[in-house]
Amino acid sequence: MTKETKTLQFAIIVARWNNFVTQKLLDGAKQCLIEKGVPEKNITTTWVPGSFEIPTAARWATASNQFDAVICLGAVILGETDHYKHVSEQAAGGIQQVALDTQIPVIFGVLTCKTTEQALARAGGTSGNSGSEAANAALEMVQIKENLLSN
Ligand code: DLZ
């Protein structure tokens, strides 16, 4: 069984912190979905203050029962304090928890980088675009879920 791509609905939750990076992740994710046949009107983008807030907003998106998958985008870049560790761990763990609790694909497209250069390289630079990789993972997980649950 496969779901028709043009009928799929996606929520994208994107962190405003480091938005010079996350805007590029968002552009990559949307471009990928549209190229694969998802109508632009089926993509709902919600900005949140930072990556720490992503799991909460992702949980609200799943609670709406409107979306086949939720794509989470953020950029956590190492600074001088312990914030990096706390924000990146809570974002990763929280996103996975939402996916497991709701059984809706919730995709981890949050960069955790030591430098701004590393982040930009992964946001449409020399190392690809993690936003479009997250979108591909979302498309794949929707079909995997359909296949496994229809047996
Ligand atoms: C506070 C903070 C810091 C220091 N660094 C980042 C970061 O690199 N990436 C990111 O997405 N968010 C960061 N934040 C903001 C937190 O995610 C959160 O928005 C605030 O702590 C408010 O809860």
Side-chain angles (χ1 to χ4, degrees):
M1 293 274 290
T2 54
K3 282 198 166 190
E4 268 203 275
T5 307
K6 67 177 182 212
T7 67
L8 298 177
Q9 298 279 345
F10 290 90
I12 300 181
I13 310 296
V14 54
R16 199 177 303 113
W17 197 279
N18 293 323
N19 66 354
F20 62 98
V21 177
T22 60
Q23 179 66 55
K24 292 176 193 290
L25 297 177
L26 175 62
D27 293 344
K30 287 179 77 172
Q31 188 184 339
C32 174
L33 292 176
I34 290 165
E35 279 173 10
K36 296 277 168 73
V38 178
E40 194 165 4
K41 67 177 173 47
N42 292 14
I43 305 168
T44 302
T45 301
T46 302
W47 288 87
V48 295
S51 294
F52 189 83
E53 284 73 34
I54 289 175
T56 312
R59 186 67 186 87
W60 290 328
T62 61
S64 75
N65 279 324
Q66 283 182 56
F67 302 108
D68 293 284
V70 181
I71 298 167
C72 301
L73 304 175
V76 189
I77 302 174
L78 185 62
E80 290 176 0
T81 70
D82 282 348
H83 251 87
Y84 172 87
K85 181 174 180 296
H86 295 302
V87 173
S88 56
E89 285 181 1
Q90 294 304 321
I95 288 166
Q96 181 69 307
Q97 186 186 328
V98 176
L100 294 172
D101 287 350
T102 64
Q103 301 194 48
I104 291 171
V106 185
I107 305 300
F108 182 67
V110 179
L111 293 172
T112 58
C113 296
K114 291 197 173 61
T115 66
T116 298
E117 291 69 30
Q118 286 178 351
L120 285 170
R122 288 157 180 79
T126 51
S127 299
N129 188 313
S130 293
S132 77
E133 286 162 20
N136 271 322
L139 285 161
E140 189 177 351
M141 286 300 285
V142 169
Q143 298 305 343
I144 290 171
K145 179 182 174 185
E146 178 75 1
N147 292 342
L148 288 174
L149 295 184
S150 66
N151 286 330

